[in-house]
Amino acid sequence: MTAYPLLIVTAVAAEADAFRAHLDPDRAVVEAVGVGPAAAAAGTARLLATGHYRAVLSAGIAGGFPGRAPVGSLVIATRSIAADLGAESPDGFLPIEELGFGSSALDADPTLVKALGTALPEAIPGEILTLATVTGTAETADRLATRFPLAAAEAMEGYGVAVAASGAGLPFAELRAVSNPVGPRDRAAWRLADAFAALRAATPALNALP
């Protein structure tokens, strides 16, 4: 039996509750740390400083890029990318790599990605964007889809969780259930129930992660 559990980090309690009822507490624990990359990084770092875990998973609902990840699907991150971390310029957005300030992308642990893909064969692999401001227009959605042709989904916490996990020397992965398409904001069209059902259905796979 593995000595330490997997830490599953969500933004809000409703996401954590979708997992909690079916988690094996010897294999995995789930905590909600708040919305956005800063809260995610700080909350995850606090949990890692006060507990022992074998790996970290950022999980919850997300927007899916049309044609790449439909509503109700699961997405497994190959990389978590801070898509709005950088600077504006007359020639367009400059990521922090071009500014010389580090990296805006962190690769998910390949062992965890492989295990998730095996346990959840219906899930879509792809990059997941982390944004402090959720996309709400077709123009922004098109711009992001062009900049990140491998992106399947966007959320608000993955990169922050990944930074904390990397700082602690722990493997990291990100799993998202798509509740809405990335684009014009239309809360009436969101299918939250379907996304939460997908998270609950994924729980047995999380119990089995290495």
Side-chain angles (χ1 to χ4, degrees), residues 2-97:
T2 303
Y4 299 129
L6 168 74
L7 174 62
I8 302 170
V9 178
T10 71
V12 298
E15 293 167 322
D17 290 343
F19 295 114
R20 192 168 280 129
H22 303 289
L23 282 177
D24 177 350
D26 291 327
R27 297 288 302 164
V29 296
V30 59
E31 297 289 346
V33 298
V35 174
T44 303
R46 172 182 54 80
L47 290 167
L48 295 179
T50 56
H52 297 286
Y53 304 97
R54 70 180 187 275
V56 184
L57 178 72
S58 176
I61 64 172
F65 282 93
R68 302 179 187 178
V71 173
S73 65
L74 290 169
V75 177
I76 299 168
T78 55
R79 294 201 300 170
S80 296
I81 301 174
D84 54 3
L85 184 58
E88 290 185 324
S89 82
D91 297 320
F93 184 81
L94 300 175
I96 59 171
E97 287 87 348

Side-chain angles (χ1 to χ4, degrees), residues 65 80-87 93-96 104-105 128-133 135 144 147-148 151 153-155 159:
F65 282 93
S80 296
I81 301 174
D84 54 3
L85 184 58
F93 184 81
L94 300 175
I96 59 171
S104 61
I128 298 180
L129 308 184
T130 299
L131 294 155
T133 300
T135 300
L144 290 172
R147 281 180 59 206
F148 303 103
E154 71 164 34
Y159 181 80

Side-chain angles (χ1 to χ4, degrees), residues 61-64 71-72 134-136 154 156 178-196:
I61 64 172
V71 173
V134 172
T135 300
E154 71 164 34
M156 301 181 75
V178 176
S179 62
N180 58 280
V182 175
R185 187 170 176 80
D186 179 10
R187 284 296 299 269
W190 287 17
R191 287 166 43 190
L192 292 172
D194 290 348
F196 283 120

Side-chain angles (χ1 to χ4, degrees), residues 89-169:
S89 82
D91 297 320
F93 184 81
L94 300 175
I96 59 171
E97 287 87 348
E98 295 187 30
L99 301 174
F101 296 145
S103 175
S104 61
L106 289 171
D107 291 334
D109 179 76
T111 299
L112 289 177
V113 170
K114 182 179 179 179
L116 282 168
T118 299
L120 300 167
E122 74 283 5
I124 298 164
E127 296 172 346
I128 298 180
L129 308 184
T130 299
L131 294 155
T133 300
V134 172
T135 300
T137 68
E139 292 78 11
T140 299
D142 290 344
R143 185 168 64 250
L144 290 172
T146 299
R147 281 180 59 206
F148 303 103
L150 299 180
E154 71 164 34
M156 301 181 75
E157 294 81 29
Y159 181 80
V161 177
V163 167
S166 177

